[in-house]
Coordinates of all heavy atoms in Angstrom, one line a residue:
M1 N 0.9 -1.2 0.0 CA 0.0 0.0 0.0 C 0.9 1.2 0.0 O 1.7 1.4 0.8 CB -0.9 0.0 1.3 CG -1.8 1.2 1.4 SD -3.3 1.2 0.4 CE -4.1 -0.4 1.0
S2 N 0.7 2.1 -1.0 CA 1.4 3.4 -1.0 C 0.5 4.5 -0.9 O -0.8 4.4 -1.0 CB 2.3 3.5 -2.2 OG 1.5 3.9 -3.3
M3 N 1.0 5.7 -0.6 CA 0.2 6.8 -0.3 C -0.7 7.2 -1.5 O -1.9 7.6 -1.3 CB 1.1 8.0 0.0 CG 0.5 9.1 0.9 SD -0.3 8.4 2.4 CE 0.9 8.9 3.6
T4 N -0.2 7.0 -2.7 CA -1.0 7.3 -3.9 C -2.1 6.3 -4.2 O -2.9 6.5 -5.1 CB -0.1 7.5 -5.1 OG1 0.8 6.4 -5.2 CG2 0.7 8.8 -5.0
D5 N -2.1 5.2 -3.5 CA -3.2 4.2 -3.6 C -4.4 4.8 -2.8 O -5.6 4.5 -3.1 CB -2.9 2.9 -3.0 CG -1.9 2.1 -3.8 OD1 -1.8 2.4 -5.0 OD2 -1.1 1.4 -3.2
L6 N -4.1 5.7 -1.8 CA -5.1 6.2 -0.9 C -5.5 7.7 -1.3 O -6.7 8.1 -1.2 CB -4.7 6.2 0.5 CG -4.4 4.8 1.1 CD1 -3.4 4.8 2.2 CD2 -5.7 4.1 1.5
L7 N -4.5 8.4 -1.7 CA -4.7 9.8 -2.0 C -4.3 10.2 -3.4 O -3.4 9.4 -4.0 CB -3.9 10.7 -1.0 CG -4.2 10.5 0.5 CD1 -3.2 11.2 1.4 CD2 -5.6 10.9 0.9
S8 N -4.8 11.2 -4.0 CA -4.4 11.6 -5.3 C -3.0 12.2 -5.3 O -2.7 13.1 -4.5 CB -5.5 12.6 -5.9 OG -4.9 13.6 -6.6
A9 N -2.2 11.7 -6.2 CA -0.8 12.3 -6.4 C -0.8 13.7 -6.7 O 0.0 14.5 -6.2 CB 0.0 11.5 -7.4
E10 N -1.8 14.1 -7.5 CA -2.0 15.6 -7.9 C -2.3 16.4 -6.6 O -1.7 17.5 -6.4 CB -3.1 15.6 -8.9 CG -3.3 17.0 -9.5 CD -2.3 17.3 -10.5 OE1 -1.5 16.4 -10.9 OE2 -2.2 18.5 -10.8
D11 N -3.2 15.9 -5.8 CA -3.5 16.7 -4.5 C -2.3 16.8 -3.6 O -2.1 17.8 -3.0 CB -4.7 16.0 -3.8 CG -6.0 16.1 -4.5 OD1 -6.1 17.0 -5.4 OD2 -7.0 15.4 -4.2
I12 N -1.6 15.7 -3.5 CA -0.4 15.7 -2.6 C 0.6 16.7 -3.1 O 1.2 17.5 -2.3 CB 0.3 14.3 -2.6 CG1 -0.7 13.3 -1.9 CG2 1.6 14.3 -1.9 CD1 -0.2 11.8 -2.0
K13 N 0.9 16.7 -4.4 CA 1.8 17.6 -5.0 C 1.4 19.1 -4.7 O 2.3 19.9 -4.4 CB 1.9 17.4 -6.5 CG 3.2 17.8 -7.2 CD 3.1 17.5 -8.7 CE 4.0 18.5 -9.5 NZ 3.7 18.4 -10.9
K14 N 0.2 19.4 -4.9 CA -0.4 20.7 -4.7 C -0.2 21.1 -3.2 O 0.2 22.2 -2.9 CB -1.8 20.7 -5.1 CG -2.2 22.0 -5.8 CD -3.7 22.0 -6.1 CE -4.1 21.3 -7.4 NZ -5.5 21.2 -7.7
A15 N -0.5 20.2 -2.3 CA -0.5 20.5 -0.9 C 1.0 20.7 -0.4 O 1.3 21.6 0.3 CB -1.1 19.4 -0.1
V16 N 1.9 19.8 -0.9 CA 3.3 19.9 -0.5 C 3.8 21.2 -1.0 O 4.6 21.9 -0.3 CB 4.1 18.7 -1.0 CG1 5.6 19.0 -0.9 CG2 3.7 17.5 -0.1
G17 N 3.5 21.6 -2.2 CA 3.9 22.8 -2.9 C 3.4 24.1 -2.1 O 4.2 25.1 -2.0
T18 N 2.2 24.0 -1.6 CA 1.6 25.1 -0.9 C 2.4 25.5 0.4 O 2.6 26.6 0.8 CB 0.2 24.8 -0.5 OG1 -0.5 24.6 -1.7 CG2 -0.5 25.9 0.3
F19 N 3.0 24.4 1.0 CA 3.7 24.6 2.3 C 5.2 24.4 2.1 O 5.9 23.9 3.0 CB 3.1 23.7 3.4 CG 1.6 23.9 3.6 CD1 0.7 23.0 3.1 CD2 1.2 25.0 4.2 CE1 -0.6 23.2 3.2 CE2 -0.2 25.2 4.4 CZ -1.1 24.3 3.9
A20 N 5.7 24.8 0.9 CA 7.1 24.5 0.6 C 8.1 25.4 1.4 O 9.2 25.1 1.7 CB 7.4 24.8 -0.9
A21 N 7.6 26.6 1.8 CA 8.4 27.5 2.6 C 8.6 27.0 4.0 O 7.6 26.6 4.6 CB 7.9 28.9 2.6
A22 N 9.7 27.2 4.6 CA 10.0 26.8 6.0 C 9.0 27.5 7.0 O 8.7 28.7 6.7 CB 11.4 27.1 6.4
D23 N 8.5 26.8 7.9 CA 7.6 27.3 9.0 C 6.2 27.8 8.4 O 5.5 28.5 9.0 CB 8.2 28.5 9.8 CG 9.4 28.0 10.6 OD1 9.2 26.8 11.1 OD2 10.4 28.7 10.8
S24 N 5.9 27.3 7.2 CA 4.6 27.7 6.6 C 3.5 26.6 6.8 O 2.4 26.7 6.5 CB 4.7 28.0 5.1 OG 5.0 26.8 4.4
F25 N 4.0 25.4 7.4 CA 3.1 24.3 7.5 C 1.9 24.5 8.4 O 2.0 24.9 9.5 CB 3.9 23.0 7.9 CG 3.1 21.7 7.8 CD1 2.8 21.2 6.6 CD2 2.7 21.0 9.0 CE1 2.1 20.0 6.5 CE2 2.0 19.8 8.9 CZ 1.7 19.4 7.6
D26 N 0.7 24.2 7.8 CA -0.5 24.2 8.5 C -1.2 22.8 8.4 O -1.7 22.5 7.3 CB -1.4 25.3 7.9 CG -2.8 25.4 8.6 OD1 -3.3 24.4 9.1 OD2 -3.4 26.5 8.6
H27 N -1.1 22.0 9.4 CA -1.5 20.6 9.2 C -3.0 20.5 8.9 O -3.4 19.6 8.1 CB -1.2 19.8 10.5 CG -1.9 20.2 11.7 ND1 -1.6 21.2 12.5 CD2 -3.1 19.6 12.2 CE1 -2.4 21.3 13.5 NE2 -3.3 20.3 13.4
K28 N -3.9 21.4 9.4 CA -5.3 21.3 9.1 C -5.6 21.5 7.6 O -6.3 20.7 7.0 CB -6.1 22.3 10.0 CG -6.3 21.8 11.4 CD -7.3 22.6 12.2 CE -7.3 22.2 13.6 NZ -7.2 23.4 14.5
K29 N -4.9 22.5 7.1 CA -5.1 22.8 5.7 C -4.5 21.7 4.8 O -5.0 21.3 3.8 CB -4.4 24.2 5.3 CG -5.4 25.3 5.3 CD -4.7 26.6 4.8 CE -5.2 27.8 5.6 NZ -4.3 28.9 5.4
F30 N -3.3 21.3 5.3 CA -2.6 20.2 4.5 C -3.4 19.0 4.4 O -3.6 18.4 3.3 CB -1.2 19.9 5.2 CG -0.4 18.9 4.4 CD1 0.3 19.2 3.3 CD2 -0.5 17.5 4.8 CE1 1.0 18.2 2.6 CE2 0.2 16.5 4.1 CZ 0.9 16.9 3.0
F31 N -3.9 18.5 5.5 CA -4.7 17.2 5.5 C -6.0 17.4 4.7 O -6.5 16.5 4.1 CB -5.0 16.8 6.9 CG -3.8 16.4 7.7 CD1 -3.6 16.7 9.0 CD2 -2.8 15.6 7.1 CE1 -2.4 16.3 9.7 CE2 -1.6 15.2 7.7 CZ -1.5 15.6 9.1
Q32 N -6.5 18.6 4.7 CA -7.7 18.9 3.9 C -7.3 18.9 2.4 O -8.0 18.3 1.6 CB -8.2 20.3 4.3 CG -9.6 20.6 3.7 CD -10.1 22.0 4.1 OE1 -9.4 22.8 4.6 NE2 -11.4 22.2 3.9
M33 N -6.2 19.5 2.1 CA -5.8 19.6 0.7 C -5.5 18.2 0.1 O -5.7 18.0 -1.1 CB -4.6 20.5 0.5 CG -4.9 22.0 0.7 SD -3.5 23.0 0.4 CE -3.5 23.1 -1.4
V34 N -4.9 17.3 0.9 CA -4.6 16.0 0.3 C -5.8 15.1 0.3 O -5.7 14.0 -0.2 CB -3.4 15.3 1.1 CG1 -2.1 16.1 0.9 CG2 -3.7 15.1 2.6
G35 N -6.9 15.6 0.9 CA -8.2 14.8 0.8 C -8.4 13.9 2.0 O -9.3 13.1 2.0
L36 N -7.6 14.0 3.0 CA -7.7 13.2 4.2 C -9.0 13.3 4.9 O -9.5 12.4 5.5 CB -6.5 13.4 5.1 CG -6.0 12.2 5.9 CD1 -5.6 11.1 5.0 CD2 -4.7 12.6 6.7
K37 N -9.5 14.6 4.9 CA -10.8 14.9 5.6 C -12.0 14.1 5.0 O -13.0 13.9 5.7 CB -11.0 16.4 5.6 CG -10.0 17.2 6.2 CD -10.1 17.1 7.7 CE -9.0 18.0 8.4 NZ -8.7 17.6 9.8
K38 N -11.8 13.7 3.7 CA -13.0 13.0 3.1 C -12.9 11.5 3.2 O -13.7 10.8 2.7 CB -13.0 13.4 1.6 CG -13.5 14.9 1.4 CD -13.5 15.2 -0.1 CE -12.1 15.6 -0.5 NZ -11.9 16.1 -1.9
K39 N -11.8 11.0 3.8 CA -11.5 9.6 3.9 C -12.3 9.0 5.1 O -12.6 9.6 6.1 CB -10.0 9.3 4.0 CG -9.2 9.8 2.8 CD -9.5 8.9 1.6 CE -9.0 9.5 0.4 NZ -9.4 8.7 -0.8
T40 N -12.6 7.7 4.9 CA -13.2 7.0 6.0 C -12.1 6.7 7.1 O -10.9 6.8 6.9 CB -13.7 5.6 5.5 OG1 -12.6 4.8 5.2 CG2 -14.6 5.7 4.4
P41 N -12.6 6.5 8.4 CA -11.7 6.2 9.4 C -10.7 5.1 9.1 O -9.5 5.1 9.5 CB -12.6 5.8 10.6 CG -13.9 6.5 10.3 CD -14.0 6.5 8.8
D42 N -11.2 4.1 8.4 CA -10.3 3.0 8.0 C -9.2 3.4 7.0 O -8.1 3.0 7.1 CB -11.2 1.9 7.3 CG -10.5 0.6 7.2 OD1 -9.9 0.1 8.3 OD2 -10.4 0.0 6.1
E43 N -9.6 4.3 6.1 CA -8.6 4.8 5.1 C -7.6 5.7 5.8 O -6.4 5.7 5.5 CB -9.3 5.6 4.0 CG -10.0 4.6 3.0 CD -10.9 5.4 2.1 OE1 -11.5 6.4 2.5 OE2 -11.1 4.9 0.9
V44 N -8.0 6.5 6.8 CA -7.1 7.4 7.5 C -6.1 6.5 8.3 O -5.0 6.8 8.4 CB -7.9 8.3 8.5 CG1 -7.0 9.1 9.4 CG2 -8.8 9.3 7.7
K45 N -6.6 5.4 8.8 CA -5.8 4.5 9.5 C -4.6 3.9 8.6 O -3.5 3.8 9.0 CB -6.6 3.3 10.1 CG -6.4 3.1 11.6 CD -7.4 2.0 12.1 CE -8.4 2.6 13.0 NZ -9.2 1.6 13.7
K46 N -5.0 3.7 7.4 CA -4.0 3.2 6.4 C -3.0 4.2 6.1 O -1.8 3.9 6.1 CB -4.7 2.7 5.1 CG -5.4 1.4 5.2 CD -6.1 1.0 4.0 CE -6.9 -0.3 4.2 NZ -8.1 -0.3 3.3
V47 N -3.4 5.5 6.0 CA -2.4 6.6 5.8 C -1.5 6.6 7.0 O -0.3 6.8 6.9 CB -3.2 7.9 5.6 CG1 -2.2 9.1 5.7 CG2 -3.9 7.9 4.3
F48 N -2.1 6.6 8.2 CA -1.3 6.6 9.5 C -0.2 5.5 9.5 O 0.9 5.8 9.8 CB -2.3 6.4 10.7 CG -1.6 6.5 12.0 CD1 -1.5 7.7 12.7 CD2 -1.0 5.3 12.5 CE1 -0.9 7.7 13.9 CE2 -0.3 5.4 13.8 CZ -0.3 6.6 14.5
H49 N -0.6 4.3 9.0 CA 0.3 3.2 9.1 C 1.5 3.4 8.1 O 2.6 2.9 8.3 CB -0.4 1.9 8.9 CG -1.2 1.5 10.1 ND1 -0.6 1.3 11.3 CD2 -2.5 1.2 10.2 CE1 -1.6 1.0 12.2 NE2 -2.7 0.9 11.5
I50 N 1.2 4.1 7.0 CA 2.3 4.4 6.1 C 3.3 5.4 6.7 O 4.5 5.3 6.6 CB 1.8 5.0 4.7 CG1 0.9 3.9 4.0 CG2 2.9 5.5 3.9 CD1 0.2 4.5 2.8
L51 N 2.7 6.4 7.5 CA 3.6 7.4 8.1 C 4.3 6.8 9.3 O 5.4 7.3 9.7 CB 2.7 8.6 8.5 CG 2.0 9.3 7.4 CD1 1.0 10.3 7.9 CD2 3.0 10.0 6.5
D52 N 3.8 5.7 9.9 CA 4.4 5.0 11.0 C 5.4 4.1 10.5 O 5.2 2.9 10.3 CB 3.4 4.3 11.8 CG 3.9 3.5 13.0 OD1 5.1 3.8 13.4 OD2 3.3 2.5 13.4
K53 N 6.6 4.6 10.1 CA 7.6 3.9 9.3 C 8.1 2.6 10.1 O 8.4 1.6 9.4 CB 8.8 4.8 8.9 CG 8.4 5.7 7.8 CD 9.6 6.5 7.3 CE 9.1 7.8 6.8 NZ 10.0 8.9 7.3
D54 N 8.3 2.8 11.4 CA 8.9 1.6 12.1 C 7.8 0.7 12.6 O 8.1 -0.2 13.4 CB 9.9 2.1 13.2 CG 9.1 2.9 14.3 OD1 7.9 3.1 14.2 OD2 9.8 3.3 15.3
K55 N 6.6 1.0 12.3 CA 5.4 0.1 12.6 C 5.3 0.0 14.1 O 4.9 -1.1 14.6 CB 5.5 -1.3 11.9 CG 5.6 -1.2 10.4 CD 4.4 -0.6 9.8 CE 4.6 -0.3 8.3 NZ 3.8 0.9 7.8
S56 N 5.5 1.0 14.9 CA 5.5 1.0 16.3 C 4.0 1.2 16.8 O 3.7 1.0 18.0 CB 6.4 2.1 17.0 OG 5.9 3.3 16.6
G57 N 3.1 1.6 15.9 CA 1.8 1.9 16.3 C 1.6 3.4 16.7 O 0.5 3.8 17.0
F58 N 2.7 4.1 16.6 CA 2.7 5.5 17.0 C 3.5 6.3 16.0 O 4.4 5.7 15.4 CB 3.2 5.8 18.4 CG 2.4 5.1 19.5 CD1 2.8 3.8 19.9 CD2 1.3 5.8 20.0 CE1 2.0 3.2 20.9 CE2 0.6 5.1 21.0 CZ 1.0 3.9 21.5
I59 N 3.2 7.6 15.8 CA 4.1 8.5 15.1 C 4.9 9.2 16.1 O 4.3 10.1 16.8 CB 3.3 9.4 14.1 CG1 2.6 8.5 13.1 CG2 4.2 10.4 13.4 CD1 1.7 9.3 12.1
E60 N 6.2 8.9 16.1 CA 7.1 9.6 17.1 C 7.6 10.9 16.4 O 7.4 11.1 15.2 CB 8.2 8.7 17.5 CG 7.8 7.5 18.4 CD 7.3 6.3 17.6 OE1 7.3 6.4 16.4 OE2 7.0 5.3 18.3
E61 N 8.3 11.7 17.2 CA 8.8 13.0 16.8 C 9.6 12.9 15.5 O 9.5 13.7 14.6 CB 9.6 13.7 17.9 CG 9.6 15.2 17.6 CD 10.0 15.9 18.9 OE1 9.6 15.5 20.0 OE2 10.8 16.9 18.7
D62 N 10.5 11.9 15.4 CA 11.4 11.8 14.2 C 10.5 11.5 12.9 O 10.8 12.0 11.8 CB 12.5 10.8 14.4 CG 12.0 9.4 14.6 OD1 11.0 9.3 15.3 OD2 12.7 8.5 14.2
E63 N 9.5 10.7 13.1 CA 8.6 10.3 12.0 C 7.8 11.5 11.6 O 7.5 11.8 10.4 CB 7.7 9.2 12.3 CG 8.5 7.8 12.4 CD 7.7 6.7 13.0 OE1 6.7 6.9 13.7 OE2 8.1 5.6 12.8
L64 N 7.4 12.3 12.6 CA 6.6 13.5 12.4 C 7.4 14.6 11.6 O 6.9 15.2 10.7 CB 6.2 14.1 13.7 CG 4.9 14.9 13.8 CD1 3.7 14.1 13.2 CD2 4.6 15.3 15.2
G65 N 8.7 14.7 11.9 CA 9.5 15.6 11.2 C 9.7 15.4 9.8 O 9.9 16.3 9.0
S66 N 9.5 14.1 9.4 CA 9.7 13.8 7.9 C 8.3 13.3 7.4 O 8.2 12.6 6.4 CB 10.7 12.7 7.7 OG 10.4 11.6 8.4
I67 N 7.2 13.8 8.0 CA 5.9 13.4 7.6 C 5.6 13.7 6.1 O 4.9 12.9 5.5 CB 4.8 14.0 8.6 CG1 3.5 13.3 8.4 CG2 4.7 15.5 8.4 CD1 2.4 13.6 9.5
L68 N 6.1 14.9 5.7 CA 5.8 15.3 4.3 C 6.4 14.3 3.3 O 5.8 14.0 2.2 CB 6.2 16.7 4.0 CG 5.5 17.8 4.8 CD1 6.0 19.2 4.4 CD2 4.0 17.7 4.6
K69 N 7.6 13.8 3.7 CA 8.2 12.8 2.8 C 7.4 11.5 2.7 O 7.6 10.7 1.8 CB 9.7 12.5 3.3 CG 10.6 13.6 3.1 CD 12.1 13.1 3.2 CE 13.1 14.1 2.7 NZ 13.3 15.2 3.7
G70 N 6.6 11.2 3.8 CA 5.7 10.1 3.7 C 4.7 10.2 2.7 O 4.1 9.2 2.2
F71 N 4.3 11.4 2.3 CA 3.3 11.7 1.3 C 4.0 11.7 -0.1 O 3.4 11.1 -1.0 CB 2.6 13.0 1.6 CG 1.6 13.0 2.7 CD1 2.0 13.2 4.0 CD2 0.3 12.6 2.5 CE1 1.1 13.1 5.1 CE2 -0.6 12.5 3.5 CZ -0.2 12.8 4.8
T72 N 5.1 12.3 -0.2 CA 5.9 12.3 -1.5 C 7.4 12.5 -1.2 O 7.8 13.3 -0.4 CB 5.3 13.4 -2.4 OG1 6.0 13.2 -3.7 CG2 5.5 14.8 -1.9
A73 N 8.2 11.6 -1.8 CA 9.6 11.5 -1.5 C 10.4 12.8 -1.6 O 11.3 13.1 -0.8 CB 10.2 10.4 -2.4
G74 N 10.0 13.7 -2.5 CA 10.7 14.9 -2.7 C 10.4 16.1 -1.8 O 11.0 17.1 -1.9
A75 N 9.5 15.8 -0.8 CA 9.1 16.9 0.0 C 10.2 17.3 1.1 O 11.1 16.5 1.3 CB 7.8 16.5 0.8
R76 N 10.0 18.5 1.7 CA 11.0 18.9 2.7 C 10.7 18.3 4.0 O 9.6 17.8 4.2 CB 10.9 20.4 2.8 CG 9.7 21.0 3.4 CD 9.7 22.5 3.6 NE 8.5 23.0 4.1 CZ 8.2 23.3 5.4 NH1 9.1 23.0 6.3 NH2 7.1 23.8 5.7
D77 N 11.6 18.4 5.0 CA 11.4 18.0 6.3 C 10.7 19.2 7.0 O 10.9 20.3 6.6 CB 12.7 17.7 7.1 CG 13.2 16.3 6.7 OD1 12.4 15.4 6.4 OD2 14.5 16.2 6.7
L78 N 9.9 18.9 8.1 CA 9.4 20.0 8.9 C 10.5 20.6 9.7 O 11.4 19.9 10.1 CB 8.2 19.5 9.8 CG 7.0 19.0 9.1 CD1 5.9 18.6 10.1 CD2 6.4 20.0 8.1
S79 N 10.3 21.9 10.1 CA 11.3 22.5 11.0 C 11.0 22.0 12.4 O 9.9 21.4 12.6 CB 11.1 24.0 10.9 OG 9.9 24.4 11.5
T80 N 11.9 22.2 13.3 CA 11.7 21.8 14.7 C 10.4 22.4 15.3 O 9.6 21.7 15.9 CB 12.9 22.2 15.5 OG1 14.1 21.7 14.9 CG2 12.8 21.6 16.9
K81 N 10.2 23.7 14.9 CA 9.1 24.4 15.4 C 7.8 23.8 14.9 O 6.8 23.5 15.6 CB 9.2 25.9 15.0 CG 8.2 26.8 15.7 CD 8.5 28.2 15.2 CE 7.2 29.0 15.0 NZ 7.3 30.1 14.1
E82 N 7.8 23.5 13.6 CA 6.6 22.9 13.0 C 6.3 21.5 13.5 O 5.1 21.1 13.8 CB 6.8 22.8 11.4 CG 6.7 24.1 10.7 CD 7.1 24.0 9.3 OE1 8.1 23.2 9.0 OE2 6.6 24.6 8.4
T83 N 7.4 20.7 13.7 CA 7.2 19.4 14.3 C 6.6 19.5 15.7 O 5.7 18.7 16.0 CB 8.6 18.7 14.4 OG1 9.2 18.7 13.1 CG2 8.5 17.3 14.8
K84 N 7.1 20.4 16.5 CA 6.6 20.5 17.9 C 5.1 21.0 17.9 O 4.3 20.5 18.7 CB 7.4 21.5 18.7 CG 8.8 20.9 19.0 CD 9.5 21.6 20.1 CE 10.9 21.1 20.3 NZ 11.0 19.6 20.5
T85 N 4.7 21.9 17.0 CA 3.4 22.3 16.8 C 2.4 21.2 16.5 O 1.4 21.0 17.0 CB 3.2 23.5 15.8 OG1 4.1 24.5 16.1 CG2 1.8 24.0 15.7
L86 N 2.9 20.4 15.5 CA 2.1 19.3 15.0 C 2.0 18.2 16.1 O 0.9 17.6 16.3 CB 2.7 18.7 13.7 CG 2.0 17.6 13.0 CD1 0.6 18.0 12.7 CD2 2.7 17.3 11.7
M87 N 3.1 18.0 16.8 CA 3.0 17.0 17.9 C 2.0 17.4 19.0 O 1.2 16.7 19.4 CB 4.4 16.9 18.5 CG 4.5 15.9 19.7 SD 4.0 14.2 19.2 CE 5.5 13.6 18.5
A88 N 2.1 18.7 19.3 CA 1.2 19.2 20.3 C -0.3 19.1 19.9 O -1.2 18.8 20.7 CB 1.5 20.7 20.6
A89 N -0.5 19.3 18.6 CA -1.9 19.2 18.1 C -2.4 17.7 18.0 O -3.6 17.5 18.3 CB -1.9 19.8 16.6
G90 N -1.5 16.8 17.8 CA -1.9 15.4 17.6 C -1.8 14.5 18.8 O -2.4 13.5 18.9
D91 N -1.0 15.0 19.8 CA -0.7 14.2 20.9 C -1.6 14.5 22.0 O -1.4 15.3 22.9 CB 0.8 14.5 21.4 CG 1.2 13.7 22.6 OD1 0.5 12.7 22.9 OD2 2.2 14.0 23.3
K92 N -2.8 13.8 22.0 CA -3.9 14.2 23.0 C -3.5 13.8 24.4 O -4.0 14.5 25.3 CB -5.1 13.4 22.6 CG -5.6 13.7 21.2 CD -6.1 15.2 21.1 CE -6.6 15.5 19.7 NZ -6.5 16.9 19.3
D93 N -2.8 12.8 24.7 CA -2.5 12.4 26.0 C -1.1 12.8 26.5 O -0.7 12.4 27.6 CB -2.7 10.9 26.2 CG -1.9 10.0 25.2 OD1 -1.1 10.6 24.4 OD2 -2.1 8.8 25.3
G94 N -0.4 13.6 25.7 CA 0.9 14.1 26.2 C 2.0 13.1 26.4 O 2.9 13.4 27.2
D95 N 2.0 12.0 25.7 CA 3.0 11.0 25.9 C 4.2 11.2 24.9 O 5.1 10.4 24.8 CB 2.5 9.6 25.9 CG 1.8 9.2 24.6 OD1 1.7 10.1 23.7 OD2 1.4 8.1 24.4
G96 N 4.1 12.2 24.1 CA 5.2 12.5 23.1 C 5.2 11.8 21.9 O 6.1 11.7 21.1
K97 N 4.1 11.1 21.6 CA 3.9 10.4 20.3 C 2.4 10.4 19.9 O 1.6 10.6 20.8 CB 4.4 9.0 20.4 CG 3.9 8.2 21.5 CD 4.7 7.0 21.8 CE 4.1 6.1 22.9 NZ 4.8 5.0 23.3
I98 N 2.1 10.2 18.7 CA 0.7 10.3 18.2 C 0.2 8.9 17.9 O 0.8 8.1 17.1 CB 0.6 11.2 17.0 CG1 1.0 12.6 17.4 CG2 -0.8 11.1 16.4 CD1 1.1 13.6 16.2
G99 N -0.9 8.5 18.6 CA -1.4 7.1 18.3 C -2.5 7.2 17.2 O -3.0 8.3 16.9
V100 N -2.8 6.1 16.7 CA -3.8 6.1 15.6 C -5.2 6.3 16.1 O -6.0 6.9 15.4 CB -3.7 4.7 14.8 CG1 -4.1 3.5 15.6 CG2 -4.5 4.8 13.5
E101 N -5.5 5.9 17.3 CA -6.8 6.1 17.8 C -7.0 7.5 18.4 O -6.2 7.9 19.3 CB -7.1 5.1 18.9 CG -7.0 3.6 18.4 CD -8.0 3.2 17.4 OE1 -9.0 3.9 17.2 OE2 -7.8 2.2 16.7
G102 N -7.9 8.3 18.0 CA -8.2 9.6 18.5 C -7.2 10.6 18.2 O -7.3 11.8 18.7
G103 N -6.2 10.3 17.4 CA -5.2 11.3 17.0 C -5.9 12.3 16.0 O -6.9 12.0 15.4
S104 N -5.3 13.4 15.8 CA -5.9 14.4 14.9 C -5.5 14.2 13.5 O -5.9 14.9 12.6 CB -5.6 15.8 15.3 OG -4.2 16.1 15.0
L105 N -4.6 13.2 13.3 CA -4.2 12.9 11.9 C -5.3 12.0 11.3 O -5.4 11.9 10.1 CB -2.9 12.1 11.9 CG -1.7 12.7 12.6 CD1 -0.5 11.9 12.4 CD2 -1.4 14.1 12.0
Ligands
CA1 CA1 6.6 4.9 14.8

């Protein structure tokens, strides 16, 4: 299963391009642009599992920093600030990682 089986390559390209500048990343807009908001919970889970590279069941900070690369290989890494903002948004229980259940991804 690859990201483009779940999401449109065109939408991903557009979304990644929109947030190409450092510190411009807006996860809500990004997830909307790639079409994640329209996906079923099951499909969102599949996307999550692609982003969970070490299959730990969680997205840890290092995986979060390269989250855009999970969508398309040529994308940039998030800055430390962006990574921390995204972690704070998705980490509901404050354990420093994002789980698939109840996460904002
Ligand atoms: Ca992981």
Side-chain angles (χ1 to χ4, degrees):
M1 178 80 57
S2 78
M3 207 51 106
T4 47
D5 293 331
L6 296 158
L7 303 169
S8 142
E10 186 73 14
D11 289 345
I12 292 172
K13 204 178 151 194
K14 222 183 272 176
V16 166
T18 298
F19 304 105
D23 291 326
S24 69
F25 188 67
D26 178 330
H27 67 277
K28 283 191 187 132
K29 262 188 220 162
F30 180 82
F31 294 138
Q32 191 180 14
M33 285 184 83
V34 296
L36 214 53
K37 299 283 181 200
K38 286 178 280 187
K39 296 289 165 187
T40 66
D42 194 51
E43 287 169 326
V44 172
K45 233 175 248 188
K46 282 178 187 154
V47 169
F48 181 95
H49 287 305
I50 293 172
L51 298 172
D52 176 21
K53 284 185 210 138
D54 64 357
K55 306 296 170 207
S56 64
F58 297 94
I59 297 180
E60 289 85 359
E61 200 164 324
D62 60 325
E63 289 168 342
L64 207 56
S66 58
I67 193 170
L68 295 182
K69 286 196 169 78
F71 286 89
T72 184
R76 70 177 175 95
D77 285 328
L78 295 182
S79 70
T80 306
K81 193 177 142 201
E82 287 170 323
T83 306
K84 287 196 185 312
T85 303
L86 185 52
M87 179 61 82
D91 179 18
K92 300 293 180 208
D93 54 3
D95 61 358
K97 53 195 184 182
I98 296 172
V100 67
E101 305 293 344
S104 73
L105 304 182

